[in-house]
Amino acid sequence: MKFDAIINQPVIETDRFDLRPLRKSDMGLIEYYASDERVARMTTSIPHPLPPGMTEAFVARAMSDGRGEDIWAMDATRDNGPELIGVISLKKMDRNQSEVGYWVAPIYWNTGIASMAVEALVNANPMDNATMFASVFQDNPASARVLTHCGFQYLGDAESYSVARGATVPTWTYSRKL
């Protein structure tokens, strides 16, 4: 893996794509994929339909120096693919911990992209965390398999609010000691 600091955030290489900081040119593909109801319904924070200006605000936050979350684009241009096939993030928590979040464009579901991205982020451990957490909606077993494949251990059941669903949804919570 190679690390190049860009906006205080490393570029992390995998065999098939790079995890790199977001840039303004990502807005079109983020908006295209995030506006897909199948993507929005599996996240806590993406509304459906996607309101005007939301993608621009998301990218601006991701690029700001004072952000509380590092967000990477899954960039497949090295493999002659698109500049963005998904997004993965680490949200800073207290006590040297962070929370992993990710989504992959539907056309790339079931291709190993999410597992490769999570594994690369865990191995790089760019925030030098002692523990990473993640949670997935219980109706998304594919995301749960990604986490267990990457060494995350099941902690328990909880609930999270999904903006796209307009409801509280049962979740499974996982952690990984580093």
Side-chain angles (χ1 to χ4, degrees), residues 72-150:
W72 289 265
M74 299 174 197
D75 184 329
T77 55
R78 183 162 41 93
D79 202 28
N80 295 318
E83 286 184 39
L84 188 133
I85 58 175
V87 171
I88 190 165
S89 66
L90 275 178
K91 186 175 185 178
K92 297 171 189 161
M93 300 170 69
D94 62 352
R95 299 188 317 255
N96 201 23
Q97 303 173 117
S98 63
E99 183 177 10
V100 179
Y102 55 90
W103 58 260
V104 174
I107 193 170
Y108 298 101
W109 287 356
N110 301 311
T111 63
I113 296 294
S115 291
M116 192 173 283
V118 171
E119 188 170 5
L121 196 58
V122 165
N123 290 339
N125 194 8
M127 292 183 181
D128 198 28
N129 291 125
T131 307
M132 289 184 189
F133 292 91
S135 64
V136 299
F137 292 137
Q138 290 182 11
D139 61 356
N140 189 358
S143 260
R145 284 190 298 276
V146 165
L147 295 173
T148 57
H149 173 81
C150 294

Side-chain angles (χ1 to χ4, degrees), residues 37-52:
E37 186 176 10
R38 296 171 297 173
V39 172
R41 288 180 56 81
M42 293 302 161
T43 71
T44 57
S45 60
I46 300 174
H48 185 78
L50 201 62

